Amino acid sequence: MTTIVLADRSNIIRYGLRSLLDSYSDFRIVAEATGAWETIQTISQHKPNVLILDWGMARRGGMEVLRRVRMRSPGTQVILFSLDWKESQFLDTDESMDVELLYCESIGDEVVRVIREGNARPPCLIALTPPVSVPRRRLERFAALAAQ
């Protein structure tokens, strides 16, 4: 059983993710959080297999939430997500070394795929976009960073 914590300010987003993940018998949502500090406390208490974290929440405080989650529960797989690929443009060079950027057409499908692949990868930032809208230079930049 894969235990999951959902962290997003929006009730609607958390409800949608919960509805999707509840349809899988091997996933169990153990808690939800609506803010950065609450996320850190929830991770410390539950030590879930997976944290699905709103990119905007992670970005506050220079990725401090992500650092604290890693310290308090190093075995927790972190999946960051953004419903707007433009937000991923704020991933700076230092952060891009620690975060895998994935563009997709369906956040739900991609989240399930990443959970199933397991914790053998760095934290992922999944950004929702139709592939044709992603600037080619942006993809080439991240491909070059990933190759280093």
Side-chain angles (χ1 to χ4, degrees), residues 77-91:
Q77 176 186 12
V78 179
I79 301 172
L80 304 158
F81 71 94
S82 172
L83 298 180
D84 181 1
W85 71 270
K86 292 175 187 167
E87 288 183 7
S88 68
Q89 303 294 307
F90 297 105
L91 189 67

Side-chain angles (χ1 to χ4, degrees), residues 1-136:
M1 178 71 62
T2 301
T3 57
I4 301 170
V5 167
L6 302 176
D8 192 288
R9 300 166 301 224
S10 168
N11 290 335
I12 293 171
I13 299 296
R14 287 193 324 277
Y15 176 80
L17 286 168
R18 176 180 281 280
S19 295
L20 168 76
L21 298 171
D22 279 347
S23 69
Y24 294 88
S25 61
D26 56 332
F27 294 164
R28 186 170 60 108
I29 309 295
V30 294
E32 295 182 16
T34 60
W37 180 243
E38 184 183 0
T39 299
I40 294 163
Q41 289 176 317
T42 302
I43 291 298
S44 297
Q45 178 183 357
H46 293 280
K47 305 261 191 267
N49 301 109
V50 177
L51 167 63
I52 301 174
L53 176 64
D54 170 40
W55 172 238
M57 194 183 299
R59 286 284 302 160
R60 271 191 213 96
M63 302 281 278
E64 187 62 25
V65 172
L66 186 56
R67 280 190 278 282
R68 288 181 185 246
V69 163
R70 286 175 161 170
M71 275 183 3
R72 294 181 183 211
S73 186
T76 297
Q77 176 186 12
V78 179
I79 301 172
L80 304 158
F81 71 94
S82 172
L83 298 180
D84 181 1
W85 71 270
K86 292 175 187 167
E87 288 183 7
S88 68
Q89 303 294 307
F90 297 105
L91 189 67
D92 68 31
T93 304
D94 292 337
E95 293 164 350
S96 65
M97 297 300 181
D98 294 332
V99 176
E100 178 182 359
L101 180 63
L102 304 171
Y103 289 111
C104 66
E105 293 182 22
S106 170
I107 290 285
D109 292 342
E110 194 69 9
V111 164
V112 170
R113 185 184 70 75
V114 170
I115 291 172
R116 293 238 187 267
E117 286 180 1
N119 202 17
R121 60 191 313 152
C124 294
L125 169 56
I126 300 172
L128 182 63
T129 181
V132 295
S133 68
V134 179
R136 183 152 191 78

